[in-house]
Amino acid sequence: MAKRSFLIPGVDKRLLIKDSIKAMPDLARRRFITGGASLGALTLLTGCDVIDSSSAEEMLKSVSKFNDAVQAFIFNPHALAPTFPESAITKPFPFNAYYDLDDAPEVDGKDWKLEVRGLVDNKKSWTLDELYQLPQVTQITRHICVEGWSAIGSWTGTPLRDFLKLIGADTRAKYVWFQCADKDGYNSPLDMRSALHPQTQMTFKYANDILPRAYGFPMKIRVPTKLGFKNPKYVVSMEVTNDYKGGYWEDQGYNSFSGS
Ligand SMILES: Nc1nc2c(c(=O)[nH]1)N[C@H]1C(S)=C(S)[C@@H](COP(=O)(O)O)O[C@H]1N2
Ligand SMILES: [Mo]
């Protein structure tokens, strides 16, 4: 989501969302509405990208056929987001923020430290070299923006749950709250269940290379079960907390849950 608006030829987004709501089974409908009822959420749930009127039809068909697997994804916090082969990666992967790429933070990796705050045993700050020593895994997953566009990418990094264990985080706390280096600030709260999800990652690489500036150097949090805005880039601190501290898009009315 940004100044840009992604228009889909022949598709009225609001009507598509309305029609989808009508077509959904009851339980899914309730969760979809409380989850913010966006085109992005529909993409997350159906796996269909809406690019024209025929794919909108496909999406509606799949919504009306929401089966046990989709219901399970919506209601099970441990359900995995789909993964893809390398051949499915979107090239080039889009940049998105509330500003243009020229205004993206330029973080000096030598000076940068990840600050750790709140309900953790060890509040030590972490240099990039120290973080790079942690075991890393790669995922090829789909990033879905609330606006309705999506793209598949390859991200490598350390599962956030491993890091939370390492620093002795109180995982009974409600949130992990991330703050970013963006000039006018960007932050986002992540509910603890999602922070502990096996695919939620502290990401250091994109397509096997050090994360480029566009995608959040030196570190982003990749949450493939959530919409794009719940994936903070240019992260400078994380705080384990019971307080809901709000977020850049959350404060503007986007649902903080926004995912499975
Ligand atoms: N720090 C920061 N993180 C951010 C944003 C931002 O503006 N600043 N935008 C969010 C949104 S809305 C999207 S869709 C994704 C875009 O990530 P990408 O540039 O890697 O595609 O980043 C998310 N994380
Ligand atoms: Mo987004």
Side-chain angles (χ1 to χ4, degrees), residues 179-199:
Q179 279 189 291
C180 307
D182 308 45
K183 189 163 68 218
D184 300 315
Y186 191 95
N187 41 46
S188 189
L190 188 62
D191 60 281
M192 186 57 79
R193 283 207 305 202
S194 302
L196 296 174
H197 186 280
Q199 289 170 309

Side-chain angles (χ1 to χ4, degrees), residues 1-2 96 143-147 149 186 227-229 249:
M1 61 201 154
N96 199 26
H143 170 113
I144 300 165
C145 180
V146 72
E147 286 173 305
W149 63 269
Y186 191 95
L227 293 178
F229 77 94
W249 290 112

Side-chain angles (χ1 to χ4, degrees), residues 161-206:
R161 65 173 180 184
D162 294 351
F163 186 72
L164 290 173
K165 204 186 270 174
L166 191 66
I167 61 176
D170 181 354
T171 52
R172 293 162 308 176
K174 287 191 185 143
Y175 308 99
V176 183
W177 190 62
F178 299 98
Q179 279 189 291
C180 307
D182 308 45
K183 189 163 68 218
D184 300 315
Y186 191 95
N187 41 46
S188 189
L190 188 62
D191 60 281
M192 186 57 79
R193 283 207 305 202
S194 302
L196 296 174
H197 186 280
Q199 289 170 309
T200 298
Q201 186 188 78
M202 296 165 80
T203 300
F204 305 115
K205 287 184 174 171
Y206 182 80

